[in-house]
Amino acid sequence: MNLKWNRRSFLSTLGAATGSLLAPQAAVAQKKKDEKPGVDGHAIVPIKSGLGSTGDIYAELGVTPLVNIVGTVTVIGGSVMKPEVMELMRQGNQHFVMINELEVAAGRFLQKLCKLPEGYTGLVTGGVAAGIVVAYAGMLTEDLEPRMKACPDLTGFPKTEVIIQKAHRNNFDHQVRQTGVKLVEVETKDQMINAINDKTLAMHFINIQSDGGKVSGPEMIEIARKAGIYTFNDASADVPPKERLWEYPAQGWDFVAFSGGKDICGPQSTGFLFGKEKLIRWAQMNMSPQEDRIGRSSKVGKEQIFAALKAIEMFVEQDYDAVIRSYDARAEVISKAVAKFGVTALPRQFNPNALGNVTPHYSWKIDQTKTSLTAQDVMKALAETKPVGIGSMNADAAGMRGRNPDAPAHPPEQRRRRQQDPTTFGFAMWQLKDGEDKYIADRLVEIFSTAKKA
């Protein structure tokens, strides 16, 4: 069997189904009387020459687009914005605006939408990593201009240490260290209390790793409150459920950060920083559009702010039970297609109370009396699909890891990952767009129908 898709027909079909901008010809096929130009007169128009004129910008640049069965990971683009979010991005482009004024208004919108506690507000940042930087900068500098210009040179700053549980160290505490602070590792509650001194600024908490530490979030908040120091909860990937947007701030954290991409499906380069009004103001003073600040590079545009607000509004108002049913329907399309090859759908795995990346996972078991294929064979073949790849075997940094000149000539063998069942493959449905379940099903039919018999 051959896949009855080519790159253009596949992207065009998805564009028509979702109302996305991947098929601009379809978007401008409406009659002129139906167009809704902006106040400044700029309507959506077809691109007739140069980049984008073919309707397939991926092919024009020579890169391979992917169907996302991996998850909301940044290295493959995070998530996909919904048409309404894209429309708010377009509307946000219609005018100039004072960015600081817009951010304050956005904070009021977030305070109401996300039921933030009295005295709390929000800030749209350039992702959670940017939110970490400007939040810690705000704690360090307060509203003092000399400090804001000096950070991350903390010479003369009164408080420069941040306590973190050893089990909470991860790749993103680099953004805490970026502000110049010293991280102090602890393991037990007693160690945490004893680590507090007159240089202690705050305590840092990674929500998704909270089951690995010995001190819970509420315990940390209580310790910090008694000591008069700040607390930060990195909950980047930890919604759904949507209730966490207001439940976590209500616990009493000084700052809580959520990704604007991932399951909220806003612009990938946005995040939401919730916190006490004074602290949010100090964080905002340390970020773009302010100049001579450590957060100047953490820029978020007016278009992204509007789009992020629409995305989180849609996320809060969605019927998540209906969303789950839509995932089940996509999985059923795949299950029906591969059943004739002895590939059996396994029960859906779903823990709605997981600490982060909450979504159903679907898997299928291969009858190896009927085919010689293993699960790894299947996933590799999916990743190699043309014209649009399906997933990524590793979703790694594509060779962007640096070398270590001090590494031993013969490094010890790394511990192997937990052995996976070679007869079971699976993935998530949460980032599939309309039509992509059928694309996956057709590709699996091709893979199994051309495989050698057992």
Side-chain angles (χ1 to χ4, degrees):
M1 293 180 65
N2 292 318
L3 282 176
K4 296 179 180 180
W5 297 89
N6 58 47
R7 189 197 295 259
R8 176 173 290 187
S9 66
F10 174 67
L11 295 176
S12 297
T13 298
L14 292 182
T18 64
S20 73
L21 300 182
L22 289 174
Q25 294 88 343
V28 299
Q30 303 294 325
K31 295 180 181 179
K32 289 216 169 187
K33 64 184 180 67
D34 294 330
E35 289 183 352
K36 295 181 178 179
V39 174
D40 58 0
H42 292 302
I44 300 175
V45 297
I47 298 174
K48 297 181 179 179
S49 63
L51 185 65
S53 58
T54 68
D56 187 351
I57 55 175
Y58 294 91
E60 291 178 39
L61 291 182
V63 297
T64 303
L66 299 174
V67 170
N68 186 355
I69 60 173
V70 178
T72 56
V73 292
T74 298
V75 293
I76 62 169
S79 56
V80 173
M81 292 179 282
K82 295 178 173 62
E84 296 89 339
V85 177
M86 293 294 292
E87 171 60 15
L88 260 288
M89 184 170 284
R90 186 191 70 80
Q91 290 186 30
N93 186 53
Q94 291 182 137
H95 300 289
F96 295 97
V97 67
M98 297 298 293
I99 297 298
N100 286 321
E101 180 184 355
L102 175 59
E103 281 280 25
V104 171
R108 291 195 296 267
F109 179 90
L110 291 167
Q111 194 279 333
K112 183 177 180 180
L113 177 72
C114 298
K115 308 172 188 176
L116 299 182
E118 184 70 26
Y120 278 63
T121 188
L123 185 69
V124 180
T125 63
V128 168
I132 293 171
V133 172
V134 300
Y136 275 95
M139 289 184 257
L140 285 163
T141 69
E142 300 180 353
D143 60 351
L144 299 174
E145 184 75 10
R147 288 191 197 173
M148 287 186 276
K149 288 185 175 182
C151 187
D153 180 356
L154 305 186
T155 303
F157 280 52
K159 296 179 181 290
T160 58
E161 294 182 1
V162 173
I163 296 173
I164 186 171
Q165 294 183 71
K166 186 175 181 179
H168 285 218
R169 294 300 304 270
N170 68 6
N171 293 337
F172 300 99
D173 63 45
H174 197 122
Q175 275 58 62
V176 183
R177 293 181 280 121
Q178 185 176 330
T179 62
V181 302
K182 174 187 176 182
L183 287 182
V184 178
E185 284 188 4
V186 299
E187 294 188 66
T188 68
K189 183 175 180 179
D190 286 342
Q191 287 176 358
M192 181 175 288
I193 294 171
N194 292 332
I196 299 172
N197 60 65
D198 58 3
K199 299 289 287 183
T200 305
L201 175 75
M203 293 184 178
H204 194 70
F205 190 82
I206 308 296
N207 193 73
I208 201 170
Q209 294 171 218
S210 59
D211 60 348
K214 296 180 180 179
V215 184
S216 69
E219 286 177 314
M220 178 181 282
I221 293 170
E222 183 62 24
I223 293 170
R225 182 182 291 119
K226 289 180 179 178
I229 58 179
Y230 302 120
T231 53
F232 188 107
N233 185 354
D234 178 351
S236 174
D238 303 351
V239 292
K242 64 185 179 184
E243 288 79 10
R244 291 175 177 173
L245 291 170
W246 45 88
E247 288 175 352
Y248 288 171
Q251 290 176 354
W253 298 98
D254 291 299
F255 286 107
V256 184
F258 298 97
S259 173
K262 302 195 185 319
D263 207 64
I264 290 177
C265 294
Q268 174 64 5
S269 54
T270 61
F272 300 102
L273 187 62
F274 297 159
K276 296 177 181 178
E277 290 178 351
K278 180 176 69 173
L279 294 177
I280 289 291
R281 176 170 172 77
W282 291 349
Q284 185 178 354
M285 293 176 76
N286 277 277
M287 66 180 273
S288 181
Q290 284 59 256
E291 300 172 355
D292 200 2
R293 302 287 189 268
I294 192 173
R296 171 64 182 184
S297 60
S298 304
K299 184 181 293 185
V300 58
K302 59 187 185 300
E303 307 84 4
Q304 293 171 302
I305 294 171
F306 282 108
L309 296 181
K310 187 62 182 177
I312 196 170
E313 179 186 60
M314 294 179 69
F315 177 78
V316 168
E317 293 179 354
Q318 72 180 342
D319 179 350
Y320 196 63
D321 289 336
V323 171
I324 298 295
R325 290 194 295 272
S326 74
Y327 298 161
D328 289 344
R330 291 170 180 171
E332 183 66 14
V333 169
I334 296 170
S335 297
K336 288 181 177 178
V338 297
K340 60 186 175 183
F341 301 104
V343 180
T344 307
L346 298 176
R348 180 185 72 188
Q349 295 176 302
F350 180 47
N351 178 9
N353 298 313
L355 289 171
N357 296 308
V358 175
T359 191
H361 186 82
Y362 301 85
S363 54
W364 294 265
K365 191 169 185 64
I366 304 168
D367 184 348
Q368 292 196 308
T369 66
K370 297 184 178 181
T371 179
S372 60
L373 288 175
T374 66
Q376 186 175 20
D377 294 332
V378 173
M379 298 304 291
K380 184 173 185 294
L382 286 174
E384 294 172 348
T385 302
K386 301 296 182 183
V388 179
I390 300 174
S392 168
M393 283 296 288
N394 299 310
D396 61 13
M400 292 296 172
R401 300 296 181 198
R403 63 185 180 86
N404 182 1
D406 299 321
H410 302 287
E413 185 177 352
Q414 292 184 345
R415 182 184 299 176
R416 294 183 178 180
R417 294 182 179 180
R418 182 171 57 87
Q419 190 68 29
Q420 300 294 320
D421 181 353
T423 69
T424 302
F425 68 95
F427 40 81
M429 302 288 161
W430 61 339
Q431 291 303 313
L432 295 188
K433 302 189 296 296
D434 290 345
E436 289 183 337
D437 49 356
K438 181 66 164 55
Y439 183 67
I440 295 170
D442 288 348
R443 177 59 175 144
L444 286 172
V445 168
E446 181 183 56
I447 291 168
F448 282 106
S449 64
T450 57
K452 291 181 180 180
K453 304 299 181 185

